[in-house]
Amino acid sequence: MTSFEELYNTYFKRVYAYIFSRVRNAALAEDLCACTWKKCYEHLNSFNEEKGEFAQWLFTIARNETNMHWRTYWVKNVFSLAETEDDVPETSRQTPLEQLEEANFRADLLRALARLSGKERDLVSLKFYSGLNNRQIAAVTRLSESNVGTVIHRAVQKMRRFMENV
């Protein structure tokens, strides 16, 4: 089996991107990502290759951590869902105008993502932010592969329509 460090280096960015797409807050995404990797480390011995791929197992942990956050959020109601985080990392090689355009595009994309239902947002995040394929997403979410594909297709169409109207 691959070492934990190799797994971490291979999957960290994808896990963080998935979680960030769900919570839209860099500090919170870092915390949830840390919790995900802690659980992964603690339970790595329980991973069974016969039951599925490592990525499916890992993103199930990330999804559960994120869902747990939202469940407790609704109970505590600590901060507004309408808040967006402006600290998305930008590359320093871009001109200020390019940075502004990219920041505006990301903000529009996050607004489009926020307009989707929770299920749609979850599936789109698993597909595009974590890089899982429809079969892997189906295993993580316990939906059929065709249902996953249909929901993602419709969600992307909704997001396109929103982005065209911005």
Side-chain angles (χ1 to χ4, degrees):
M1 174 152 209
T2 310
S3 74
F4 179 78
E5 181 180 3
E6 291 175 73
L7 294 170
Y8 181 86
N9 290 334
T10 301
Y11 291 99
F12 176 81
K13 288 182 182 178
R14 290 171 55 191
V15 170
Y16 176 83
Y18 166 69
I19 293 172
F20 181 82
S21 74
R22 299 272 319 274
V23 299
R24 297 175 306 180
N25 179 297
L28 178 58
E30 289 171 8
D31 290 346
L32 292 173
C33 198
C35 291
T36 298
W37 284 106
K38 180 180 182 271
K39 283 193 177 176
C40 173
Y41 182 78
E42 291 171 344
H43 301 285
L44 192 56
N45 292 336
S46 69
F47 168 67
N48 184 349
E49 290 179 2
E50 294 173 6
K51 291 185 178 181
E53 299 175 26
F54 177 78
Q56 294 170 331
W57 182 75
L58 178 61
F59 282 99
T60 298
I61 295 171
R63 182 173 185 253
N64 290 342
E65 286 297 311
T66 306
N67 288 344
M68 180 60 71
H69 160 74
W70 287 120
R71 277 193 291 276
T72 58
Y73 162 82
W74 288 111
V75 172
K76 295 177 183 177
N77 199 14
V78 175
F79 58 91
S80 172
L81 273 178
E83 289 179 336
T84 58
E85 197 62 36
D86 293 327
D87 60 349
V88 176
E90 299 178 28
T91 61
S92 59
R93 288 175 259 190
Q94 294 176 319
T95 67
L97 180 59
E98 289 171 332
Q99 290 176 355
L100 180 62
E101 288 173 349
E102 184 174 331
N104 286 338
F105 177 78
R106 286 178 187 255
D108 290 342
L109 192 58
L110 287 174
R111 279 194 290 277
L113 194 59
R115 293 177 63 136
L116 299 177
S117 71
K119 178 181 178 180
E120 291 169 329
R121 203 169 30 254
D122 188 31
L123 295 178
V124 166
S125 296
L126 284 168
K127 178 76 171 188
F128 298 106
Y129 289 92
S130 68
L132 298 180
N133 62 38
N134 289 2
R135 178 170 288 143
Q136 294 168 320
I137 295 169
V140 168
T141 59
R142 296 191 176 120
L143 298 171
S144 71
E145 190 176 341
S146 62
N147 189 6
V148 167
T150 301
V151 172
I152 290 172
H153 175 75
R154 290 178 181 163
V156 168
Q157 294 303 318
K158 284 182 188 178
M159 290 179 68
R160 266 196 194 121
R161 284 192 298 272
F162 175 79
M163 295 293 284
E164 287 171 357
N165 294 327
V166 172

mmCIF file of all heavy atoms in Angstrom, residues 5 23 30 33 40 59 66 69 78 83 89 103 123 128 135-136 157:
data_model
loop_
_atom_site.group_PDB
_atom_site.id
_atom_site.type_symbol
_atom_site.label_atom_id
_atom_site.label_comp_id
_atom_site.label_asym_id
_atom_site.label_seq_id
_atom_site.Cartn_x
_atom_site.Cartn_y
_atom_site.Cartn_z
ATOM 1 N N GLU A 5 1.875 9.727 3.407
ATOM 2 C CA GLU A 5 2.431 10.965 2.847
ATOM 3 C C GLU A 5 2.200 11.050 1.336
ATOM 4 O O GLU A 5 1.825 12.098 0.816
ATOM 5 C CB GLU A 5 3.927 11.046 3.145
ATOM 6 C CG GLU A 5 4.579 12.315 2.630
ATOM 7 C CD GLU A 5 6.064 12.387 2.929
ATOM 8 O OE1 GLU A 5 6.628 11.437 3.495
ATOM 9 O OE2 GLU A 5 6.660 13.417 2.584
ATOM 10 N N VAL A 23 -18.049 24.973 0.992
ATOM 11 C CA VAL A 23 -18.191 25.895 2.117
ATOM 12 C C VAL A 23 -17.859 27.339 1.779
ATOM 13 O O VAL A 23 -18.217 28.238 2.526
ATOM 14 C CB VAL A 23 -17.344 25.445 3.339
ATOM 15 C CG1 VAL A 23 -17.786 24.074 3.824
ATOM 16 C CG2 VAL A 23 -15.864 25.466 3.044
ATOM 17 N N GLU A 30 -9.933 24.732 5.189
ATOM 18 C CA GLU A 30 -8.689 24.189 5.750
ATOM 19 C C GLU A 30 -8.991 23.336 6.982
ATOM 20 O O GLU A 30 -8.413 22.258 7.147
ATOM 21 C CB GLU A 30 -7.736 25.320 6.108
ATOM 22 C CG GLU A 30 -7.137 26.011 4.907
ATOM 23 C CD GLU A 30 -6.369 27.272 5.255
ATOM 24 O OE1 GLU A 30 -6.160 27.548 6.460
ATOM 25 O OE2 GLU A 30 -5.977 27.984 4.314
ATOM 26 N N CYS A 33 -10.705 20.145 5.892
ATOM 27 C CA CYS A 33 -9.708 19.330 5.193
ATOM 28 C C CYS A 33 -8.804 18.635 6.220
ATOM 29 O O CYS A 33 -8.512 17.437 6.096
ATOM 30 C CB CYS A 33 -8.901 20.213 4.250
ATOM 31 S SG CYS A 33 -8.011 19.312 2.980
ATOM 32 N N CYS A 40 -8.784 10.108 7.917
ATOM 33 C CA CYS A 40 -8.168 9.212 6.947
ATOM 34 C C CYS A 40 -6.977 8.505 7.589
ATOM 35 O O CYS A 40 -6.837 7.286 7.476
ATOM 36 C CB CYS A 40 -7.742 9.995 5.704
ATOM 37 S SG CYS A 40 -6.802 9.019 4.522
ATOM 38 N N PHE A 59 -13.093 10.693 -0.423
ATOM 39 C CA PHE A 59 -14.088 11.734 -0.664
ATOM 40 C C PHE A 59 -15.385 11.460 0.083
ATOM 41 O O PHE A 59 -16.146 12.382 0.349
ATOM 42 C CB PHE A 59 -14.312 11.956 -2.160
ATOM 43 C CG PHE A 59 -13.206 12.775 -2.755
ATOM 44 C CD1 PHE A 59 -12.172 12.179 -3.439
ATOM 45 C CD2 PHE A 59 -13.178 14.146 -2.568
ATOM 46 C CE1 PHE A 59 -11.134 12.928 -3.950
ATOM 47 C CE2 PHE A 59 -12.149 14.910 -3.075
ATOM 48 C CZ PHE A 59 -11.119 14.296 -3.773
ATOM 49 N N THR A 66 -17.984 17.572 5.627
ATOM 50 C CA THR A 66 -18.644 18.791 5.150
ATOM 51 C C THR A 66 -20.129 18.776 5.512
ATOM 52 O O THR A 66 -20.667 19.788 5.972
ATOM 53 C CB THR A 66 -18.458 18.946 3.629
ATOM 54 O OG1 THR A 66 -17.052 18.880 3.338
ATOM 55 C CG2 THR A 66 -19.010 20.264 3.142
ATOM 56 N N HIS A 69 -20.558 19.558 9.107
ATOM 57 C CA HIS A 69 -20.425 21.001 9.340
ATOM 58 C C HIS A 69 -21.751 21.703 9.067
ATOM 59 O O HIS A 69 -22.201 22.521 9.868
ATOM 60 C CB HIS A 69 -19.338 21.606 8.453
ATOM 61 C CG HIS A 69 -19.493 23.087 8.300
ATOM 62 N ND1 HIS A 69 -19.189 23.969 9.315
ATOM 63 C CD2 HIS A 69 -19.984 23.842 7.283
ATOM 64 C CE1 HIS A 69 -19.465 25.205 8.912
ATOM 65 N NE2 HIS A 69 -19.944 25.140 7.694
ATOM 66 N N VAL A 78 -24.354 30.194 13.074
ATOM 67 C CA VAL A 78 -23.279 31.099 13.462
ATOM 68 C C VAL A 78 -23.057 32.206 12.447
ATOM 69 O O VAL A 78 -22.856 33.356 12.796
ATOM 70 C CB VAL A 78 -21.968 30.307 13.681
ATOM 71 C CG1 VAL A 78 -20.796 31.231 13.955
ATOM 72 C CG2 VAL A 78 -22.152 29.321 14.802
ATOM 73 N N GLU A 83 -22.587 34.988 2.815
ATOM 74 C CA GLU A 83 -21.230 35.502 2.793
ATOM 75 C C GLU A 83 -20.401 34.736 1.772
ATOM 76 O O GLU A 83 -20.531 33.535 1.637
ATOM 77 C CB GLU A 83 -20.564 35.336 4.162
ATOM 78 C CG GLU A 83 -21.112 36.244 5.208
ATOM 79 C CD GLU A 83 -20.421 36.022 6.539
ATOM 80 O OE1 GLU A 83 -19.887 34.937 6.770
ATOM 81 O OE2 GLU A 83 -20.462 36.960 7.346
ATOM 82 N N PRO A 89 -6.973 32.082 -3.625
ATOM 83 C CA PRO A 89 -5.613 32.370 -4.061
ATOM 84 C C PRO A 89 -5.547 32.746 -5.538
ATOM 85 O O PRO A 89 -6.195 32.141 -6.370
ATOM 86 C CB PRO A 89 -4.869 31.048 -3.819
ATOM 87 C CG PRO A 89 -5.744 30.231 -2.970
ATOM 88 C CD PRO A 89 -7.130 30.746 -3.111
ATOM 89 N N ALA A 103 -11.091 37.078 -10.492
ATOM 90 C CA ALA A 103 -11.827 37.162 -9.229
ATOM 91 C C ALA A 103 -13.322 37.345 -9.503
ATOM 92 O O ALA A 103 -14.162 36.721 -8.830
ATOM 93 C CB ALA A 103 -11.288 38.301 -8.372
ATOM 94 N N LEU A 123 -22.941 17.168 -6.033
ATOM 95 C CA LEU A 123 -22.504 16.354 -7.169
ATOM 96 C C LEU A 123 -21.567 17.125 -8.099
ATOM 97 O O LEU A 123 -20.558 16.578 -8.559
ATOM 98 C CB LEU A 123 -23.719 15.823 -7.945
ATOM 99 C CG LEU A 123 -24.612 14.843 -7.175
ATOM 100 C CD1 LEU A 123 -25.811 14.420 -8.011
ATOM 101 C CD2 LEU A 123 -23.835 13.639 -6.705
ATOM 102 N N PHE A 128 -16.246 18.214 -10.426
ATOM 103 C CA PHE A 128 -15.304 19.173 -10.980
ATOM 104 C C PHE A 128 -14.232 19.647 -10.010
ATOM 105 O O PHE A 128 -13.175 20.085 -10.442
ATOM 106 C CB PHE A 128 -16.058 20.363 -11.567
ATOM 107 C CG PHE A 128 -16.953 19.953 -12.699
ATOM 108 C CD1 PHE A 128 -18.324 19.896 -12.526
ATOM 109 C CD2 PHE A 128 -16.417 19.596 -13.917
ATOM 110 C CE1 PHE A 128 -19.153 19.506 -13.563
ATOM 111 C CE2 PHE A 128 -17.235 19.201 -14.969
ATOM 112 C CZ PHE A 128 -18.607 19.155 -14.788
ATOM 113 N N ARG A 135 -19.015 7.148 -11.903
ATOM 114 C CA ARG A 135 -19.104 5.873 -11.186
ATOM 115 C C ARG A 135 -18.620 6.044 -9.743
ATOM 116 O O ARG A 135 -19.238 5.540 -8.803
ATOM 117 C CB ARG A 135 -18.283 4.803 -11.905
ATOM 118 C CG ARG A 135 -18.301 3.468 -11.166
ATOM 119 C CD ARG A 135 -17.704 2.358 -11.992
ATOM 120 N NE ARG A 135 -18.672 2.062 -13.047
ATOM 121 C CZ ARG A 135 -18.340 1.731 -14.293
ATOM 122 N NH1 ARG A 135 -17.088 1.638 -14.641
ATOM 123 N NH2 ARG A 135 -19.270 1.479 -15.192
ATOM 124 N N GLN A 136 -17.522 6.758 -9.561
ATOM 125 C CA GLN A 136 -16.995 6.997 -8.219
ATOM 126 C C GLN A 136 -17.960 7.852 -7.404
ATOM 127 O O GLN A 136 -18.175 7.595 -6.222
ATOM 128 C CB GLN A 136 -15.629 7.672 -8.302
ATOM 129 C CG GLN A 136 -14.550 6.803 -8.908
ATOM 130 C CD GLN A 136 -13.298 7.578 -9.248
ATOM 131 O OE1 GLN A 136 -13.364 8.702 -9.726
ATOM 132 N NE2 GLN A 136 -12.147 6.966 -9.025
ATOM 133 N N GLN A 157 -26.087 22.944 -16.859
ATOM 134 C CA GLN A 157 -26.920 23.765 -17.745
ATOM 135 C C GLN A 157 -27.492 24.965 -16.986
ATOM 136 O O GLN A 157 -27.517 26.087 -17.502
ATOM 137 C CB GLN A 157 -28.061 22.929 -18.349
ATOM 138 C CG GLN A 157 -27.599 21.844 -19.291
ATOM 139 C CD GLN A 157 -26.776 22.372 -20.449
ATOM 140 O OE1 GLN A 157 -27.089 23.393 -21.039
ATOM 141 N NE2 GLN A 157 -25.682 21.688 -20.740
#
